[in-house]
Amino acid sequence: MRILLVEDEQGVANFIKKGLEEERYTVDLVTDGQAGLEHGLTGQYDLLILDLMLPKKSGFEVAKGLRDTGIQTPILMLTAKISVQDKVKGLDVGADDYLTKPFSFEEFLARVRALLRRKQTEMIKLEVGDLEVNTLSHRVFLDGKELVLRPKEYAILEYLVRAKDCVVSRTQILENVWGYDFDPTTNVVDVHIKSIRKKLEELTPKEYISTVRGVGYMVTTTPK
Ligand code: CA
């Protein structure tokens, strides 16, 4: 879990960073709103802890800038003192939770955990068009109807859906689904893909898995 901390008060920043690192989170610290926005825009964080009053850009501007470009990283906003209007404004621009300074580290950690859990729950369901893959129950639904797959078929489809809109090679599929100990001359991937396609065809005329000649397979977000 990687956390971006945007906080200009050195004492508070060090206290939070040290505490989170003791809990085994990875923490990157930046001390102004501009840097916060730039780091946040990389999309590589699981959570943002964002102070409201910051040099260069306020916490509001950072949150809004991220949401406007489609970055959905959960945001926990930290404020010295907050009015109801500020709270509403913060929620409107995309903050997920608030904490007023000074706060106890226990409460802070509880909120961090809650926001990270929420993110994990969202990751359980992967969606491509009308296809929904539940990575917890390992079940797949197409427009609400279940696609009954064998374990290896499921693993291939989940791998393709995770890589959606990118071509994956037979070798990549073999490595990820069967592990490294496979016979490179095998046609087992093609056989399984054929079977998944057949099952999909019973439920939809759309082609979710396309063949990219000489390269491999791809699941597309806009099946035709
Ligand atoms: Ca501040």
Side-chain angles (χ1 to χ4, degrees), residues 39-48 62-76 91-97 115-116 118-120 122-123:
H39 279 69
L41 284 173
T42 63
Q44 62 182 339
Y45 295 98
D46 299 295
L47 175 69
L48 249 79
V62 175
K64 187 172 186 306
L66 292 173
R67 295 300 185 244
D68 283 353
T69 47
I71 300 281
Q72 293 302 320
T73 312
I75 297 175
L76 172 59
L91 292 171
D92 279 347
V93 295
D96 298 275
D97 199 3
L115 287 170
L116 289 171
R118 202 187 297 175
K119 186 181 162 137
Q120 281 167 337
E122 282 162 12
M123 289 300 290

Side-chain angles (χ1 to χ4, degrees), residues 113-131:
R113 280 194 298 263
L115 287 170
L116 289 171
R117 252 198 318 272
R118 202 187 297 175
K119 186 181 162 137
Q120 281 167 337
T121 316
E122 282 162 12
M123 289 300 290
I124 287 171
K125 265 201 224 165
L126 307 174
E127 287 176 336
V128 168
D130 294 327
L131 194 66

Side-chain angles (χ1 to χ4, degrees), residues 11 13-14 19 24 27 30-31 40 55 69 92 97 114 118 168 174 177 181 186-187 202 217:
N14 290 343
R24 302 191 184 166
V27 182
V30 293
T31 55
T69 47
D92 279 347
D97 199 3
R118 202 187 297 175
V168 295
L174 282 167
V177 175
D181 191 21
T186 181
N187 68 343
E202 287 168 17
Y217 296 102

